Amino acid sequence: MATGQLFSKTTQALFYNYKQLPIQRMLDFDFLCGRETPSVAGIINPGSEGFQKLFFGQEEIAIPVHSTVEAACAAHPTADVFINFASFRSAAASSMSALKQPTIRVVAIIAEGVPESDTKQLIGFAKANNKVVIGPATVGGIQAGAFKIGDTAGTIDNIIQCKLYRPGSVGFVSKSGGMSNELYNTIARVTDGVYEGIAIGGDVFPGSTLSDHVLRFNNIPQVKMIVVLGELGGRDEYSLVEALKQGKINKPVVAWVSGTCATLFKSEVQFGHAGAKSGGEMESAQAKNQALRDAGAVVPTSYEAFEGAIKAAFENLVSEGKTTPVKEITPPNIPEDLNTAIKSGKVRAPTHIISTISDDRGEEPCYGGVPMSSIVEQGLGVGDVISLLWFKRSLPRYCTRFIEICVLLCADHGPCVSGAHNSIVTARAGKDLVSCLVSGLLTIGPRFGGAVDDAARYFKDAYDRGLTPYEFVESMKKKGIRVPGIGHRIKRGDNRDKRVELLQLYARDNFPSVKYMEYAVQVETYTLSKANNLVLNVDGAIGTLFLDLLAGSGMFTKPEIDEIVEIGYLNGLFVLARSIGLIGHTFDQKRLKQPLYRHPWEDVLYTK
C-alpha cells in the first residue's frame, strides 16, 4: 500500500469503458482547478479505436480511444491511474489486466457486485506489487484542487460548494460514496476543506481499507486532521483502533461509525452496502464507536454531533497554531454546455435540420406523430408507415393496401434487368451488401423505374388540360418524347402485364375514382393501334393510379398533389420496392458462392 498521497495536479488516468458524463466531469474539475493538462489521457473501449471529443474548459479536445488495456498503457506511459467503469461481470478481468501493467499504480473499480473471490485475487496481487485498489463499489476519490475520479463529489455546483477546487487541511475516508458527498459539504462548512477524500467502497472486501488511507494521510504534511466515516459490519475499523493504540497516528482523528439504529431491529438488518451487515456484537456500530473512542479518536455521541466534533477539532488545531486555514480563492467559471443552457432558457440557438415526420426524443419513437407502440398495437403495415413518413398523415386502409401491393409487385423483375444485373455482378466481385444494393439502385432513372414519376406528370398534365389521347400522344411525338408508362420490351396487346391487370382490378374495386387510370387506358387503346407493344406498363399503371389515390381520397389539395408528383414520391416507391429484390439477388449470389463475373467475348461486337 502507498504511504503518501496518491494523486497530484499532474496525475493522468486511463478511463475504461467510455462514459461521457463522468469523463466530462473530470475535465471540468481539471479546468476548475487550473490544471494545464487534462486528467484523462486516454479511453479504453474494447473493440473501438479513434477519438472522443470532449471539452476542456471552452476548448474542444480529442481524447484517444484504444481497444485494449495494453495498447492504452503503451500509448500513455505517464498515466498511472486506471478508472474502471466496466460492469461487475468484466470489472475483475480488466482490473487485473491494468494491475499487471508496470505503468499503472492505482486502480479504481466502480462496479458493485464483483465476485468476492475475484476481489481477493485483485487485492492479493495489488499488495504483492505495491499497488492500490480503490473499490469495488466505489465512487472513487479526490485530491482537492488536483485530481478526481469519475463522478466523485457530484456536479460542479456541489464541488464549488464543498470548496474542492483548492486543497484544504482535512484527510477524509469513508466506505460510502453518497455519504462522502455529504461529508465533503460538512467539512467545508466547519474547516478549511478537504485535502484528499477517498470512498473505499461498500463491498465486504474492499481493495484498500479505512486504516490504509488514514495511515497515508498521517504521512502527508498538508493533512492536519483526519475524518473517518465507517459503518456497521466487518472489522475494518479495528485495524484503525490498533493503529491508534500503537501510536502510528499522530494527527487528530474524528470518527463515526454509522448504523447504530440496527439495534432497534429484532433481526439482523442488511443496509445499503454488501458489507453493511452486522455479524455479531463486535461488528455493531456501537462497539466500533466505543473502541475508536477508547483508542483516542474523537467520537461524537451521534451522527448529528459529528459536524460539531469536526469543527471543534479543527478550531483546536488553529488555536494551538498547528495549522493556518487555507486562504479562499475564486474558481474560474465553467462554460455551460449548450444543451443545458438551452433547456434552462439562458440561450437560444438556431437548429440545423428540420424534421416533420419522425421524433425519437420521447419515451418511444413516433412516425408522423403516432407512437411506435400504437403502430404495433393497431397492426399497421408497411403501407401505413409509408403514409405516415412520406405523406405525414394516416391514409385510409384501401390506400395503404394499394401502396403495399405496389411494393409487392415491383419488388423484383428477374435477374436480367439492369438493376438486378448490377447487383449480381457486384456481389460476385465480393463486395458487401450495401455496395451491391447501391450499384443496382444507381441504374434507376428515366429508362429504368423513373418512368413512374414521369408517367404521373405527363398523364396528369394531359388529363387536366383536357387533351384527347390523340392530341396527347401526337404532341409528345412532335416534342420527340416517348410517352412514359407506355411500351414494353416483352408484353404485347395480346399478352398483357399481369401486374397491371391486378392493379387495375384492385383500383376499380376500391378507389372512389379512377379517372386518371381510365384516361391512361384510352391512351393505350390509341397507342396499340400504332404498335402491338405500346401497352400500358406497370410504371404507367402505378403513376396514374397514384394520382387517383391522391385525388380520390380527399386528403390532399391540388397544390399538395402537384408537389408530391414534382418531388418524386412515386419513384421513391419503386426504389423502396426494388431494393427488396436487389438485396435478394445479392444474398442469392453469395449463398451460391458465385465467382467473379466476366462477360463472354461472344456477346460483344468488337469493331474498329
Side-chain angles (χ1 to χ4, degrees):
M1 181 67 192
T3 56
Q5 67 184 47
L6 298 179
F7 316 116
S8 71
K9 209 164 186 173
T10 59
T11 296
Q12 286 195 298
L14 297 175
F15 198 104
Y16 188 92
N17 197 15
Y18 176 68
K19 303 287 183 184
Q20 190 268 339
L21 185 57
I23 295 178
Q24 187 59 65
R25 283 180 171 172
M26 287 179 67
L27 298 175
D28 287 344
F29 179 75
D30 296 343
F31 182 75
L32 195 69
C33 299
R35 282 183 58 126
E36 295 181 0
T37 55
S39 61
V40 181
I43 298 166
I44 303 164
N45 215 26
S48 300
E49 290 184 347
F51 294 88
Q52 282 290 350
K53 294 194 303 179
L54 293 117
F55 282 99
F56 186 60
Q58 211 158 10
E59 177 187 1
E60 197 168 22
I61 61 173
I63 297 181
V65 177
H66 306 276
S67 59
T68 65
V69 173
E70 293 77 11
C73 291
H76 309 284
T78 59
D80 60 0
V81 177
F82 184 84
I83 302 172
N84 196 343
F85 266 75
S87 70
F88 70 91
R89 298 177 185 85
S90 59
S94 49
S95 295
M96 184 60 81
S97 296
L99 286 170
K100 290 180 178 179
Q101 302 306 308
T103 55
I104 297 299
R105 190 171 49 88
V106 179
V107 171
I109 306 171
I110 309 302
E112 61 179 323
V114 176
E116 292 176 1
S117 59
D118 292 340
T119 302
K120 289 179 180 178
Q121 288 182 8
L122 292 172
I123 294 170
F125 187 89
K127 286 183 177 179
N129 291 274
N130 197 32
K131 299 192 177 188
V132 178
V133 173
I134 302 174
T138 180
V139 73
I142 187 169
Q143 184 174 325
F147 176 84
K148 88 179 186 86
I149 294 172
D151 289 319
T152 301
T155 65
I156 288 296
D157 288 342
N158 190 64
I159 287 170
I160 292 174
Q161 189 172 357
C162 296
K163 302 177 183 178
L164 293 167
Y165 49 83
R166 57 37 166 196
S169 303
V170 180
F172 169 71
V173 62
S174 166
K175 287 186 177 180
S176 168
M179 288 304 296
S180 292
N181 284 353
E182 181 68 27
L183 264 295
Y184 290 147
N185 193 293
T186 298
I187 292 169
R189 285 199 304 269
V190 297
T191 73
D192 62 357
V194 166
Y195 183 81
E196 185 183 320
I198 298 289
I200 65 170
D203 278 2
V204 176
F205 299 103
S208 52
T209 65
L210 297 173
S211 58
D212 287 336
H213 294 287
V214 170
L215 290 170
R216 275 198 316 105
F217 295 156
N218 195 66
N219 294 329
I220 300 174
Q222 297 92 328
V223 173
K224 305 301 181 183
M225 63 174 285
I226 301 165
V227 174
V228 179
L229 180 63
E231 62 185 21
L232 83 164
R235 302 199 177 190
D236 185 10
E237 289 82 358
Y238 287 106
S239 61
L240 177 55
V241 168
E242 289 305 310
L244 286 165
K245 287 182 177 179
Q246 293 170 16
K248 294 180 179 179
I249 303 165
N250 53 29
K251 296 177 181 179
V253 175
V254 182
W256 175 254
V257 179
S258 61
T260 53
C261 64
T263 57
L264 300 175
F265 297 92
K266 294 181 179 179
S267 60
E268 186 179 272
V269 179
Q270 171 71 60
F271 286 79
H273 295 150
K277 180 175 66 174
S278 180
E281 178 58 32
M282 283 193 69
E283 294 188 14
S284 69
Q286 285 86 346
K288 290 197 280 190
N289 276 325
Q290 188 59 51
L292 285 166
R293 189 178 294 116
D294 293 342
V298 176
V299 181
T301 56
S302 66
Y303 179 79
E304 288 73 16
F306 199 19
E307 179 176 333
I310 297 170
K311 180 179 180 181
F314 183 74
E315 290 177 347
N316 286 340
L317 286 172
V318 174
S319 64
E320 293 171 2
K322 294 181 179 179
T323 188
T324 301
V326 174
K327 292 182 179 179
E328 190 51 71
I329 62 172
T330 302
N333 290 323
I334 299 292
E336 193 168 6
D337 287 342
L338 181 60
N339 290 338
T340 304
I342 290 174
K343 288 179 180 178
S344 64
K346 293 180 180 178
V347 298
R348 57 188 182 191
T351 56
H352 297 89
I353 293 176
I354 300 174
S355 176
T356 65
I357 62 170
S358 63
D359 190 341
D360 64 345
R361 294 171 300 173
E363 294 182 0
E364 59 178 319
C366 292
Y367 291 166
V370 180
M372 192 70 68
S373 58
S374 179
I375 291 172
V376 175
E377 289 165 2
Q378 294 180 49
L380 302 183
V382 172
D384 300 283
V385 170
I386 291 173
S387 76
L388 291 171
L389 291 177
W390 293 14
F391 302 105
K392 294 171 47 176
R393 65 205 75 189
S394 294
L395 295 174
R397 181 56 188 153
Y398 78 86
C399 295
T400 59
R401 177 57 183 156
F402 173 76
I403 292 173
E404 291 169 355
I405 291 172
C406 290
V407 172
L408 294 173
L409 298 179
C410 295
D412 191 52
H413 202 190
C416 297
V417 295
S418 57
H421 179 82
N422 267 27
S423 291
I424 289 170
V425 171
T426 307
R428 291 177 62 165
K431 299 289 283 185
D432 59 278
L433 171 61
V434 174
S435 299
C436 299
L437 172 60
V438 170
S439 68
L441 291 177
L442 286 173
T443 63
I444 296 176
R447 297 181 180 179
F448 175 57
V452 179
D453 276 324
D454 285 341
R457 291 190 186 105
Y458 283 109
F459 276 103
K460 183 177 186 302
D461 177 70
Y463 179 87
D464 291 349
R465 289 196 292 132
L467 298 181
T468 65
Y470 168 82
E471 292 171 331
F472 172 44
V473 174
E474 295 304 320
S475 66
M476 295 287 284
K477 183 178 180 181
K478 288 180 182 179
K479 296 175 185 176
I481 303 173
R482 294 180 179 179
V483 179
I486 294 290
H488 202 281
R489 285 180 175 269
I490 300 174
K491 299 301 178 182
R492 299 288 187 270
D494 55 353
N495 179 28
R496 301 296 181 93
D497 191 332
K498 189 67 175 177
R499 296 176 299 173
V500 174
E501 293 178 351
L502 289 171
L503 290 169
Q504 290 174 329
L505 178 63
Y506 180 83
R508 288 191 174 110
D509 288 345
N510 295 278
F511 282 24
S513 168
V514 288
K515 60 182 182 181
Y516 287 107
M517 189 268 285
E518 295 295 1
Y519 179 70
V521 171
Q522 295 172 25
V523 171
E524 179 192 45
T525 301
Y526 177 71
T527 56
L528 283 174
S529 68
K530 290 177 169 291
N532 198 33
N533 70 322
L534 296 181
V535 294
L536 180 66
N537 60 37
V538 70
D539 293 339
I542 291 175
T544 54
L545 283 171
F546 240 105
L547 293 173
D548 287 324
L549 181 153
L550 297 171
S553 67
M555 300 184 70
F556 300 89
T557 64
K558 186 179 182 303
E560 285 179 322
I561 295 174
D562 292 339
E563 183 180 51
I564 287 170
V565 173
E566 183 61 31
I567 287 175
Y569 274 50
L570 309 188
N571 199 35
L573 192 63
F574 182 84
V575 170
L576 172 66
R578 191 51 56 94
S579 293
I580 300 172
L582 299 180
I583 292 172
H585 285 295
T586 299
F587 289 156
D588 189 40
Q589 296 301 306
K590 290 183 177 293
R591 183 173 55 248
L592 295 171
K593 297 179 175 59
Q594 291 295 286
L596 178 68
Y597 175 83
R598 181 180 174 86
H599 205 72
W601 286 331
E602 59 268 22
D603 196 35
V604 178
L605 175 62
Y606 294 93
T607 63
K608 293 184 178 178

